[in-house]
Amino acid sequence: MRVQPIILLLLLIFASSCSQKQEDENLPPTSSYSVISVTNGGSIQGIVRLAGERPSIMMIETQKDQDVCGASHRNPAAIGNDSGIAGCIVGIEHISQGKAFLLVRHSLDQKGCDFLPHVQIIPVGAMMTVSNSDEVLHNYHIRKGDQTVSNEAQPEGSPDREVQIKTAGLLSVACDVHPWMKGFVFAAENPYYAITDSTGSFTISDIPGGDYTLTLWRDNWNIEEVKDNNGRIGSYKWGPDITKKQQIHVEAGKITPVIFSLP
């Protein structure tokens, strides 16, 4: 009779160990970034604005699975009607220590023949749930530059997939079935990154005082529909990604204002 409680205790310890191991596998590596207690940290408050004329290419033809995707589709890189530019990734490059990552659940849905969200930030090593909400075949083809990180078909009604994002940096996501579909996952090695909202604004907080390089990335909204001799669209060609940098100084307990102008 005394054996049963011991066995039960061992099972509980084993289950707890497995659970902790699973949680640890979701954490980003600490080799290049150390978590410290940040007291009286500074912050960056900024805005990304459009300089020049507003592009007019908001809608594109689809010519594929129109019963699900529609005959035309919103350019996934299009910008809104205000002067602020949403969907920019802004962050501090090569910061060695600071606050901890905020661990949340990350997901990517293929819905309305779009990747949603179009842009997201994930800690390196975190898990991402990929789903297909459309009644049509999709695939998620994740690349780092020209190198494939993951590529898997996801037919309609198929279960969600769990993908661990182990490769740091900007990853592109494409559907080879519907070539206008694209998304981006930025695998961050530190938590000091943000995505601009619908007004082009962003905030990065709890930063140790010091001098930093602030980087900006945005996918280009200019697009060319590449057609064959019969007028069929074979591919979509967007302009090169937009990148910018600023050198900034963050003072403890104070706000550093930043303005970026694109393109």
Side-chain angles (χ1 to χ4, degrees):
M1 297 295 292
R2 293 181 181 178
V3 176
Q4 292 180 353
I6 295 175
I7 294 176
L8 179 60
L9 178 60
L10 290 174
L11 288 173
L12 289 173
I13 292 173
F14 177 76
S16 175
S17 174
C18 290
S19 176
Q20 183 62 48
K21 182 180 179 182
Q22 185 175 10
E23 291 178 5
D24 290 344
E25 287 174 349
N26 291 338
L27 297 177
T30 58
S31 58
S32 60
Y33 180 79
S34 301
V35 175
I36 62 171
S37 177
V38 179
T39 58
N40 197 33
S43 62
I44 300 169
Q45 288 186 359
I47 189 167
V48 182
R49 295 173 176 166
L50 178 67
E53 296 183 3
R54 180 161 296 279
S56 59
I57 305 174
M58 298 291 290
M59 302 297 293
I60 56 178
E61 283 187 85
T62 59
Q63 298 183 348
K64 178 76 174 180
D65 293 323
Q66 293 183 349
D67 55 329
V68 175
C69 302
S72 62
H73 201 80
R74 185 177 183 272
N75 176 3
I79 58 179
N81 297 321
D82 297 326
S83 59
I85 301 179
C88 303
I89 298 176
V90 185
I92 297 176
E93 188 177 55
H94 305 314
I95 183 171
S96 60
Q97 60 183 11
K99 64 181 178 180
F101 282 85
L102 178 62
L103 297 180
V104 298
R105 298 183 67 88
H106 302 280
S107 62
L108 181 68
D109 193 11
Q110 296 153 107
K111 185 174 182 180
C113 298
D114 269 330
F115 284 111
L116 302 177
H118 178 62
V119 179
Q120 63 179 305
I121 299 168
I122 293 179
V124 176
M127 301 297 295
M128 179 175 70
T129 303
V130 184
S131 55
N132 179 8
S133 296
D134 286 338
E135 295 182 355
V136 69
L137 168 68
H138 289 305
N139 77 300
Y140 53 92
H141 191 168
I142 304 175
R143 295 183 179 95
K144 174 71 178 289
D146 294 330
Q147 180 181 0
T148 294
V149 175
S150 179
N151 186 11
E152 189 169 0
Q154 201 165 23
E156 59 179 293
S158 62
D160 295 347
R161 312 288 168 80
E162 296 293 329
V163 180
Q164 187 173 26
I165 305 300
K166 300 179 181 179
T167 304
L170 183 70
L171 308 177
S172 64
V173 189
C175 175
D176 300 318
V177 183
H178 307 97
W180 68 85
M181 290 178 61
K182 68 171 186 171
F184 296 91
V185 175
F186 184 78
E189 295 181 286
N190 74 72
Y192 293 104
Y193 284 88
I195 298 174
T196 56
D197 63 17
S198 60
T199 68
S201 300
F202 68 93
T203 299
I204 303 173
S205 60
D206 297 324
I207 308 167
D211 296 316
Y212 300 103
T213 299
L214 193 66
T215 65
L216 176 145
W217 170 92
R218 177 52 153 88
D219 54 327
N220 201 309
W221 45 81
N222 294 307
I223 183 174
E224 176 187 356
E225 297 172 343
V226 182
K227 299 183 179 181
D228 61 21
N229 294 331
N230 297 319
R232 298 290 298 176
I233 298 173
S235 63
Y236 301 81
K237 184 178 180 180
W238 279 269
D241 293 351
I242 300 168
T243 59
K244 289 200 171 187
K245 292 187 179 183
Q246 283 192 38
Q247 301 302 314
I248 61 168
H249 177 75
V250 175
E251 191 171 345
K254 295 188 177 181
I255 297 173
T256 300
V258 171
I259 297 176
F260 280 101
S261 295
L262 301 187

